[in-house]
């Protein structure tokens, strides 16, 4: 079995289905017997759903330029590795 604290730390992986079946089963059982964690889980998934529906904010031009420069620098071969 898992504790409430452990469930909270695993919730992101649980929601994204990144846990082994046995671990998911432990969480399912915990949620079935712990009303507080079930309420937390429902709030957590609601927030994920609602934020996923928000429109994307445009990326500021100065930040886009910095990101592109960083990507270009990363793709250049390091000195002496050519």
């Amino acid at each position: 079995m898992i504790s409430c604290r452990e469930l909270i730390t695993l919730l992101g992986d649980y929601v994204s289905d990144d846990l082994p079946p046995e671990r998911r089963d432990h969480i399912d059982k915990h949620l079935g017997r712990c009303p507080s964690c079930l309420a937390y889980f429902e709030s957590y998934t609601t927030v994920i759903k609602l934020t996923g529906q928000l429109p994307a904010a445009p990326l500021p031009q100065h930040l886009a330029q910095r990101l592109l420069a960083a990507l270009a620098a990363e793709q250049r071969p390091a000195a002496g590795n050519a």
Side-chain angles (χ1 to χ4, degrees):
M1 289 298 150
I2 64 171
S3 68
C4 297
R5 186 178 307 260
E6 189 177 5
L7 180 133
I8 289 169
T9 64
L10 295 171
L11 212 46
D13 290 335
Y14 178 80
V15 170
S16 62
D17 202 18
D18 288 336
L19 292 174
E22 181 180 326
R23 202 68 162 148
R24 289 188 62 79
D25 186 50
H26 288 152
I27 291 174
D28 290 336
K29 287 178 182 173
H30 185 100
L31 290 172
R33 65 172 168 54
C34 184
S36 296
C37 284
L38 180 59
Y40 185 85
F41 168 73
E42 289 171 349
S43 297
Y44 186 90
T45 55
T46 298
V47 167
I48 291 171
K49 181 180 178 182
L50 292 175
T51 56
Q53 294 173 358
L54 292 172
L59 189 62
Q61 185 63 31
H62 72 280
L63 183 55
Q65 290 171 345
R66 287 179 59 197
L67 287 171
L68 289 172
L71 288 171
E74 192 172 295
Q75 291 177 353
R76 279 187 233 123
N81 287 349

